[in-house]
Amino acid sequence: MADGCAEVIGGRLETAALGMGHRQIAARQGLAEGTVRGWPRRFRRRSEAVRRYLTVVAGAGAVAVAVAVDPVMPEAAASPLADAVTVIVAAHRAAAVTWLAVNTVSQWAFAGRAIGGRVLRAEEPRPMPAWESAEQW
């Protein structure tokens, strides 16, 4: 998912995590219902895999590189979709402490890059690279 698309879709997923349906989201954003409908639906199917994968980033580390020195695990949210959104925010925050350059990308661009662009795709997340420098951002 390109960074611009990540922003648009990610913002709509955050709204869906608050409990708003695709029709309301589409109406508020001036988008076609058919455009918005699939995003929360696909993300709900992926949410547990995304949450589980990025919890490792926020907590224990990415492959061989520890991301958060003193991890703070997010509290459980109202739904699996909301849990995944919360973990994306926490993982972005943890990575931004380790690599300041991560602050130059949104949490959704970070999530897309961290899991190989598979935020909405059906496949399992790809193994995360062992980032050793901010130059990769």
Side-chain angles (χ1 to χ4, degrees), residues 24-128:
Q24 292 173 307
I25 295 169
R28 286 185 178 207
Q29 300 299 315
L31 298 169
E33 286 182 22
T35 300
V36 178
R37 178 182 301 119
W39 298 337
R41 190 176 291 167
R42 281 187 302 232
F43 191 65
R44 276 187 191 92
R45 286 193 294 256
R46 300 270 305 125
S47 62
E48 178 56 23
V50 170
R51 186 207 58 78
R52 188 174 52 248
Y53 191 76
L54 288 177
T55 297
V56 173
V57 175
V63 186
V65 179
V67 175
V69 176
D70 189 16
V72 176
M73 300 314 295
E75 294 291 325
S79 69
L81 187 147
D83 279 339
V85 168
T86 301
V87 168
I88 287 170
V89 172
H92 180 258
R93 190 177 312 123
V97 169
T98 302
W99 304 292
L100 294 178
V102 172
N103 286 308
T104 65
V105 299
S106 74
Q107 58 205 20
W108 291 98
F110 165 79
R113 293 176 190 185
I115 61 177
R118 286 175 157 70
V119 174
L120 294 178
R121 294 187 188 166
E123 305 92 20
E124 282 297 310
R126 292 180 187 163
M128 188 174 208

